[in-house]
Amino acid sequence: MKKSKTLNWKINVTSSPSGLSHWPARVSIPLPKGMDAKAEFSIRGPDGRTVSAQSRVLVPWPDGSPRWVQLDFQAGQTGEHIVSNKFAPEKPTLPVEVTREKSMVHVTVGRMRVTLSPEGASLIAGITWDHRPLTGNAASWRFTVTVEDGKVHPLAPSAGRNLTIEADGPHRYQISWETHHADGGDRRSLDARFRFEALAGMEGFTLSYQFFHKLPGHEALKFKGIQGEFEFGPLGDRKGRVVVVQSSYNNVGLPRMVRTRNEVTVHVDHTQFAAHVEDAVVLDDHFDYPHFLLSTNLSTGSAAALENDQAAVLCAMRDFECQRPKTLTVRPGGIHFGIWPEEAGTLKLPQGRSNRQVFCFRFCDPDQKKVDGLLANPASCHLEPAVCWLDKADSIHAGATWDQPRLFDGSEPGAAFFSHLLQHNTGRFETVPEMFHYGDAPDPGYTVAYPSTGRTPKIGDAPTKFIFAAAAHVLHGHFHSQDHLPQVWSNNEYDAIYCLALETMRARNAGILRRLQAAVRHQIEVDFVHYADHWQHHRGTPAHSYDHVSGTAVIMSHQWTQGLYYYYALTGDDDVPEVVRAICDYNIAFINRDEVSFTLGFDRELGWALVALVFGYELTAEKKYIDVARLVARKLQQFARSNDPKGLIKTSSPSVGVKAAAIGGGFYYNTIPLGFKAYHQATNESWARDLLLEWVDYGMTNFNNKATGNKLTELFPEIFCYVCELTGNKRYLKQSLWHLIMFFRGFSTIGWLDEMGGPLSTKQYARVYRGLLPFLSTLARTGMLKKVEKRLMGDL
């Protein structure tokens, strides 16, 4: 491997809600192929000060050299910083120190010391603050599930496995391990994965708990409750107290900090918008409220604290108010989370589904001003590094499949309004972060128009209405009844995650990053089936709804990896590679199974499979994925017989010929050249380039056929804009501008231009975004966008 030359990357560091003068920050940077895997990095701030950075490789190049590297460092200023592959030996403030003793791991940051026991059932074997113990015996921290018959299943002792140290250095320590819940005998219920993270400068840690239904032979498991119990015995002494934020107190409605020895239970459910208590008496609130202010005093913050005269611990759960239902019960010396509270009724968990919660603990002196300041801003308790934005010019090292350098940012001539539209409508896109939310929010793309559902969404108390006109298109219509039809979910249609990732980078918007994270976690935990008894569900993403593919099987056009690759490169979420590999492996198995593969032809199944395999290869660098992608691409070439564009209709199968001749017309067929675009970006193979240029040139006639309307939503702009980039020819842009003009005049907008139209569903958002963004970006790069703006808006 060649010696690395000195390189620089420009990043922008944002502020942190932590309240620290030197706060943790994190960024991912791409490296050119062939750089030294042992390279060390440093970051220079606006004041010229250089700090060290801890690195870990996220994604390799095929030759094994690092492609994406994630850096952890401490920032003391916001604004532009320079990353360099030179090492600065400076240590962080309050570094993470790790020592090991047999099966125990001791993690120290400042005055906090945490002892982990991955092989035990208690997880956290001990916590000390300033040399004082904050926990009692080894079983003071535990997770349990209560099964249908009322029996409690704790974590099985000595069942820890797959122990993985994911980050190890003075800036960050992260470790994960897996175990399972079981009764005292052999009865097993849920699998579990834990992840512990500590960051330099933060006297605290996060502990994530993700449970999985992987039990063979059980279509669903029923639970009365899932609980996490965290005991801080020494904080329960006679001076121990609970601190909770009451959001609105008295006639003026000011927030106040409630310090009490009462047990306080905070609820998040569908009865109120915010976290709340059932009776304000537990908050020692005896104010005489007028009738129009009744219940306003029940609202609380989502974080709480325990304290005595020696120490204070603040506890918050990420996404607490999103993942409903939940409860948080605090009493002097103890914190209890109802991950699935018994008050919510029985949970019926389908096979293969999972859910993750991240619990954050921050320790400090029992200074009232300090504790109150942190509780008033729950984000300060989340112990997250500050977001950093990589300059798009420096993202070019990631290779041709990384679209960031192509994106317009809104500063180009004529681009401002179009930038607003993309960012505003991304805010209208409705993600599904809610716990166990398997699609029970109506998605217009499936609950209204899709024949397979056979019904309109149930809204409020109104009865469900059936769409009898769809009966002729339903494969198993005799099964359809109001009680039989299960709910539907959006299933990441057209890879909305990829769209969210692009908009996150384009707009440098932390709010969109949160939406991206919510969408990804929903795919990982809900859409993706971690285990199933039948191969057609096992480790894949099932169909959108009952009867969508005659049995809700996993088909290749329902599986996407491009957005997951982008998200993983941006965040380093360690659960992503498993899902991407599983999706690619499933697609390979599908292609090779005789009982289903005979249905494959020149259609979207192989088109989306090609995209998925390419980005599986981009994330993992595993050769088998690109090898199968090449076979798929050659098979598609064979189906189309496209050596002569005019011979497209002369295929061995008339039906295949008709489909090949429809390139440019509809998304169903445009997924094939979309797959070839991704394949060529990843391999730079000339035969794929030539074929792509042929297909695009042929397809422009269909795309620009005015008799079939505006087709901005049909994926084709993403393809011909890439061809414009390859050739430098603006011809396709000029020929297709009428699509953009008609879109902004209200034709085929799918709700995009109606700001009063409410939230956008997955289909509405992703289909328009995938056509609009590359079109606008290519126009901006070629200097044509100003003319488009003037044509649309005139001389205002």
Side-chain angles (χ1 to χ4, degrees):
M1 197 168 294
K2 64 182 180 181
K3 185 177 180 180
S4 299
K5 63 179 181 179
T6 301
L7 293 173
N8 294 323
W9 296 261
K10 187 186 299 182
I11 64 172
N12 191 281
V13 178
T14 63
S15 61
S16 167
S18 64
L20 300 172
S21 57
H22 292 88
W23 61 87
R26 184 173 297 163
V27 70
S28 296
I29 60 169
L31 275 61
K33 188 183 298 184
M35 280 193 65
D36 187 356
K38 297 180 180 180
E40 296 178 302
F41 300 87
S42 61
I43 290 94
R44 187 176 72 250
D47 60 357
R49 177 172 171 262
T50 300
V51 299
S52 63
Q54 176 182 327
S55 67
R56 66 168 185 156
V57 177
L58 296 178
V59 175
W61 287 100
D63 66 358
S65 61
R67 182 175 191 169
W68 279 99
V69 169
Q70 188 177 62
L71 303 179
D72 280 275
F73 62 98
Q74 276 187 339
Q77 289 181 294
T78 59
E80 185 177 294
H81 288 58
I82 301 298
V83 178
S84 176
N85 59 328
K86 288 185 176 180
F87 179 61
E90 179 180 322
K91 292 183 179 181
T93 303
L94 298 182
V96 181
E97 299 175 348
V98 179
T99 58
R100 296 165 178 83
E101 179 185 355
K102 295 182 180 180
S103 62
M104 300 290 190
V105 179
H106 306 285
V107 182
T108 303
V109 180
R111 293 168 290 175
M112 179 201 74
R113 178 182 170 94
V114 182
T115 300
L116 305 174
S117 178
E119 293 184 2
S122 62
L123 310 172
I124 304 294
I127 301 174
T128 61
W129 168 258
D130 203 10
H131 305 292
R132 299 185 182 94
L134 293 184
T135 56
N137 58 46
S140 57
W141 281 45
R142 63 180 194 148
F143 288 85
T144 60
V145 298
T146 304
V147 296
E148 188 178 20
D149 61 7
K151 293 183 179 179
V152 176
H153 288 197
L155 294 170
S158 303
R161 59 187 182 275
N162 296 334
L163 182 70
T164 305
I165 298 175
E166 296 165 332
D168 190 2
H171 285 275
R172 177 187 183 191
Y173 179 77
Q174 182 173 295
I175 183 173
S176 66
W177 66 96
E178 297 176 3
T179 181
H180 63 268
H181 290 271
D183 61 8
D186 296 328
R187 186 179 178 188
R188 183 172 178 164
S189 50
L190 293 179
D191 280 41
R193 176 181 297 155
F194 288 92
R195 184 168 280 117
F196 172 94
E197 182 187 44
L199 300 174
M202 285 188 167
E203 294 173 304
F205 64 89
T206 60
L207 180 69
S208 71
Y209 163 73
Q210 183 174 356
F211 58 82
F212 305 81
H213 174 2
K214 294 184 179 180
L215 197 63
H218 293 75
E219 181 181 352
L221 294 175
K222 294 182 179 180
F223 297 97
K224 288 187 174 180
I226 305 174
Q227 303 79 221
E229 302 172 28
F230 315 121
E231 293 295 324
F232 295 90
L235 295 180
D237 62 17
R238 61 185 181 85
K239 294 185 178 181
R241 52 200 173 270
V242 168
V243 190
V244 179
V245 180
Q246 186 179 20
S247 304
S248 180
Y249 174 70
N250 71 32
N251 284 342
V252 183
L254 295 176
R256 71 164 181 154
M257 299 296 168
V258 179
R259 282 178 163 78
T260 179
R261 284 189 60 82
N262 296 336
E263 180 177 281
V264 178
T265 298
V266 176
H267 304 260
V268 285
D269 50 35
H270 292 287
T271 65
Q272 292 198 31
F273 177 79
H276 60 277
V277 295
E278 292 183 340
D279 191 336
V281 171
V282 300
L283 303 178
D284 297 323
D285 182 0
H286 302 283
F287 190 85
D288 184 18
Y289 290 89
H291 71 277
F292 55 85
L293 291 180
L294 292 178
S295 298
T296 58
N297 61 329
L298 300 180
S299 177
T300 66
S302 57
L306 304 178
E307 63 181 17
N308 64 6
D309 290 349
Q310 303 297 322
V313 56
L314 296 93
C315 181
M317 176 186 160
R318 293 180 190 166
D319 301 323
F320 181 64
E321 293 188 0
C322 292
Q323 295 192 0
R324 301 170 184 234
K326 285 282 193 302
T327 58
L328 163 61
T329 299
V330 285
R331 54 174 171 74
I335 300 171
H336 178 277
F337 279 93
I339 297 169
W340 181 268
E342 293 193 18
E343 66 189 44
T346 300
L347 166 66
K348 184 178 180 181
L349 185 67
Q351 191 179 57
R353 302 308 202 271
S354 75
N355 193 257
R356 184 191 71 165
Q357 300 78 35
V358 181
F359 304 98
C360 311
F361 300 91
R362 184 166 180 175
F363 304 89
C364 65
D365 292 318
D367 178 85
Q368 181 171 324
K369 185 176 180 180
K370 175 71 172 177
V371 173
D372 291 357
L374 293 173
L375 279 182
N377 181 15
S380 66
C381 304
H382 287 172
L383 305 180
E384 292 184 334
V387 176
C388 303
W389 303 110
L390 174 69
D391 188 85
K392 74 174 186 177
D394 294 325
S395 69
I396 197 168
H397 298 306
T401 55
W402 190 257
D403 286 329
Q404 187 177 356
R406 301 180 177 89
L407 307 181
F408 83 109
D409 59 21
S411 64
E412 300 87 349
F417 172 74
F418 304 112
S419 177
H420 160 78
L421 179 73
L422 290 173
Q423 191 167 348
H424 173 76
N425 282 16
T426 299
R428 289 176 59 203
F429 169 57
E430 194 170 73
T431 58
V432 191
E434 186 166 339
M435 182 178 183
F436 307 122
H437 194 321
Y438 299 109
D440 51 353
D443 185 320
Y446 294 99
T447 52
V448 176
Y450 231 85
S452 60
T453 62
R455 62 172 182 178
T456 56
K458 182 177 177 62
I459 302 175
D461 296 328
T464 299
K465 297 179 180 179
F466 285 81
I467 308 173
F468 296 105
H473 305 287
V474 175
L475 295 175
H476 300 301
H478 55 286
F479 284 126
H480 282 220
S481 72
Q482 183 168 344
D483 296 328
H484 188 272
L485 288 169
Q487 302 293 350
V488 302
W489 58 95
S490 58
N491 204 359
N492 188 23
E493 188 71 28
Y494 303 97
D495 207 346
I497 289 173
Y498 168 61
C499 301
L500 288 168
L502 293 183
E503 189 61 17
T504 295
M505 296 184 298
R506 193 196 69 81
R508 293 188 171 192
N509 187 302
I512 299 175
L513 178 60
R514 292 292 185 191
R515 288 178 176 271
L516 168 64
Q517 184 177 30
V520 170
R521 292 308 310 183
H522 190 267
Q523 176 172 0
I524 291 173
E525 298 165 25
V526 178
D527 289 340
F528 179 75
V529 176
H530 292 269
Y531 172 83
D533 294 328
H534 195 281
W535 77 268
Q536 280 189 278
H537 275 183
H538 181 61
R539 297 181 68 74
T541 49
H544 314 280
S545 62
Y546 171 79
D547 209 21
H548 182 58
V549 289
S550 182
T552 64
V554 177
I555 57 177
M556 294 183 293
S557 62
H558 289 165
Q559 302 207 97
W560 294 271
T561 63
Q562 187 175 16
L564 291 178
Y565 166 67
Y566 271 66
Y567 170 77
Y568 181 60
L570 288 171
T571 67
D573 186 328
D574 291 277
D575 291 329
V576 171
E578 172 197 1
V579 175
V580 170
R581 284 188 172 92
I583 286 173
C584 292
D585 290 343
Y586 181 96
N587 284 352
I588 293 173
F590 192 100
I591 291 169
N592 290 325
R593 292 189 73 112
D594 293 338
E595 72 268 38
V596 288
S597 62
F598 75 92
T599 64
L600 300 176
F602 195 88
D603 62 24
R604 66 173 184 167
E605 296 307 312
L606 289 179
W608 281 119
L610 187 55
V611 175
L613 289 165
V614 165
F615 284 95
Y617 171 70
E618 293 294 271
L619 189 147
T620 65
E622 290 191 20
K623 187 174 180 293
K624 68 176 180 178
Y625 297 142
I626 202 65
D627 287 344
V628 177
R630 186 175 293 106
L631 292 175
V632 170
R634 288 295 191 184
K635 177 65 71 175
L636 287 167
Q637 181 189 33
Q638 178 184 350
F639 278 135
R641 298 285 176 87
S642 62
N643 291 329
D644 173 12
K646 295 181 181 179
L648 278 169
I649 60 174
K650 299 177 182 178
T651 60
S652 56
S653 167
S655 63
V656 172
V658 171
K659 290 179 181 179
I663 286 178
F667 77 89
Y668 193 95
Y669 318 107
N670 292 335
T671 55
I672 288 93
L674 187 69
F676 268 79
K677 165 184 173 280
Y679 181 80
H680 177 257
Q681 287 175 320
T683 65
N684 199 32
E685 293 178 6
S686 59
W687 74 273
R689 180 186 188 275
D690 295 342
L691 193 55
L692 182 62
L693 266 59
E694 262 185 32
W695 281 348
V696 168
D697 191 62
Y698 180 89
M700 290 304 295
T701 301
N702 290 326
F703 183 69
N704 285 319
N705 183 353
K706 295 180 176 62
T708 52
N710 181 5
K711 292 175 280 295
L712 189 69
T713 63
E714 305 307 313
L715 304 180
F716 204 63
E718 187 173 346
I719 306 158
F720 75 70
C721 285
Y722 178 63
V723 169
C724 289
E725 177 186 329
L726 289 177
T727 62
N729 193 329
K730 300 180 183 179
R731 174 168 59 99
Y732 296 151
L733 291 173
K734 295 176 181 178
Q735 291 175 354
S736 306
L737 274 180
W738 69 272
H739 289 276
L740 202 60
I741 304 302
M742 297 307 290
F743 173 83
F744 281 98
R745 290 180 178 171
F747 291 87
S748 300
T749 63
I750 316 186
W752 262 66
L753 300 181
D754 182 5
E755 295 202 2
M756 305 301 291
L760 294 172
S761 71
T762 308
K763 268 192 168 185
Q764 290 173 306
Y765 174 66
R767 283 190 68 172
V768 173
Y769 189 95
R770 289 199 75 138
L772 197 56
L773 177 68
F775 209 157
L776 294 172
S777 294
T778 308
L779 289 170
R781 287 201 313 275
T782 55
M784 297 174 62
L785 199 55
K786 183 66 178 177
K787 185 179 294 186
V788 175
E789 180 195 45
K790 185 174 182 179
R791 184 172 175 184
L792 285 170
M793 300 181 181
D795 296 320
L796 297 178

